[in-house]
Amino acid sequence: MSTVTSKDGTTIAYEKVGQGPPVVLVDGAFVYRSPIDPWTPEFAKLLAETHTVYTFERRGRGQSGDTQPYAIQREIEDIGAVIEEAGGSANVVALSSGAVLALDAAASGLPITKLAVYEPPFIVDDTHPPRPADYLTVAQQLVSEGRHGDAVAYALTKTVFLPEEVVDGMRSQPFWPIMEAVGPTVPYDGAIMDGLMSGKPLPADRWNASTVPTLILHGGASEQWMHNAAKSLNEVLPSAVDVQSLEGQTHDIAGDVLAPAVAKFFAS
């Protein structure tokens, strides 16, 4: 992997594949280049048929640094550093909580040409129980105590909404240390999503400065709360151009379904 240096001096690791207009991929929680994450390189390879694709490890993950103290603005600057490396402007495709980070980046004025977001996990009504009100405080406390595995388990049960018995079983699997390694970043995505999984309407002003044409995508087979999240984002985002449902898909989107959808949007 290659590296760029973010504004605060943090080293951000990235990989580039393909030929064509640049696209930067922003992953959601936990994801980095590891044996348990084949999705990112596979998706990049598919999109590389028409684009130069930049995949990067968000700060605190894999080969990227993690300068403290954390702030969402630092992650926005990380995306900016990768876009600068890509030539000074780029399309962006972002998933889950990474989609919310990308929305923040677009609203901050980064030179994003077009943005495609897949299932930002907003809870905007009573179709799903909200995240605990003290989630971020608890996550920060677990990390400060060095309980990184507990922080991962807490996130998986309280924001990914996996049953506790499933997560308990995961902790004995060989892949668990790989997830535990990014335990310190649990509060980062927690901060990005703070107030956006409460069961209340989305804020009207968080992204209203964005002028980046934005395609909002969700899975046709996802739960109703994900459909409502996409609809709500479309209502508050002035630069939204369309909401599309990808038939048969869930939050675990198939790369060979997402790649042509975003490539078509970026080419339009």
Side-chain angles (χ1 to χ4, degrees):
M1 297 186 76
S2 303
T3 62
V4 293
T5 302
S6 195
K7 187 176 180 179
D8 70 345
T10 302
T11 297
I12 302 298
Y14 76 93
E15 188 168 72
K16 178 178 73 170
V17 295
Q19 289 287 335
V23 175
V24 175
L25 173 65
V26 182
D27 282 313
F30 302 116
V31 180
Y32 67 111
R33 297 186 70 85
S34 70
I36 63 170
D37 177 34
W39 190 93
T40 295
E42 289 173 1
F43 173 76
K45 184 178 179 180
L46 290 166
L47 198 56
E49 295 177 7
T50 53
H51 293 80
T52 302
V53 184
Y54 292 76
T55 58
F56 73 100
E57 295 183 320
R58 287 173 52 190
R59 62 175 53 209
R61 309 180 190 186
Q63 297 179 42
S64 290
D66 194 18
T67 306
Q68 297 296 309
Y70 175 79
I72 296 172
Q73 181 60 32
R74 302 291 82 77
E75 288 218 70
I76 291 173
E77 291 164 0
D78 299 345
I79 297 172
V82 177
I83 291 176
E84 180 63 27
E85 181 69 18
S89 64
N91 295 317
V92 171
V93 56
L95 299 88
S96 194
S97 56
V100 184
L101 174 60
L103 288 165
D104 288 341
S108 77
L110 285 191
I112 299 172
T113 309
K114 289 184 177 179
L115 171 61
V117 296
Y118 186 78
E119 290 203 346
F122 305 128
I123 300 176
V124 298
D125 54 29
D126 61 1
T127 52
H128 196 283
R131 190 178 86 169
D134 62 349
Y135 173 86
L136 183 56
T137 299
V138 173
Q140 290 170 334
Q141 182 66 29
L142 290 171
V143 170
S144 71
E145 294 173 358
R147 297 165 58 188
H148 299 164
D150 289 341
V152 171
Y154 185 66
L156 291 175
T157 55
K158 302 303 183 183
T159 65
V160 183
F161 306 113
L162 294 179
E164 290 189 6
E165 59 271 21
V166 171
V167 177
D168 287 343
M170 292 171 65
R171 297 184 77 148
S172 63
Q173 297 301 311
F175 61 75
W176 185 257
I178 296 172
M179 298 190 69
E180 193 171 16
V182 293
T185 70
V186 165
Y188 301 174
D189 289 271
I192 290 166
M193 297 305 303
D194 200 31
L196 303 176
M197 303 183 78
S198 64
K200 298 177 182 179
L202 292 176
D205 58 352
R206 180 156 171 173
W207 307 293
N208 62 357
S210 177
T211 59
V212 178
T214 301
L215 173 65
I216 303 166
L217 298 160
H218 66 86
S222 290
E223 296 178 61
Q224 187 62 45
W225 67 279
M226 282 292 189
H227 297 193
N228 295 354
K231 179 181 177 182
S232 295
L233 178 59
N234 185 55
E235 291 171 351
V236 302
L237 183 65
S239 58
V241 297
D242 196 12
V243 179
Q244 292 182 12
S245 176
L246 299 181
E247 185 177 357
Q249 298 302 302
T250 66
H251 202 61
D252 295 321
I253 178 71
D256 60 357
V257 174
L258 183 61
V262 299
K264 180 179 179 180
F265 171 60
F266 293 152
S268 64

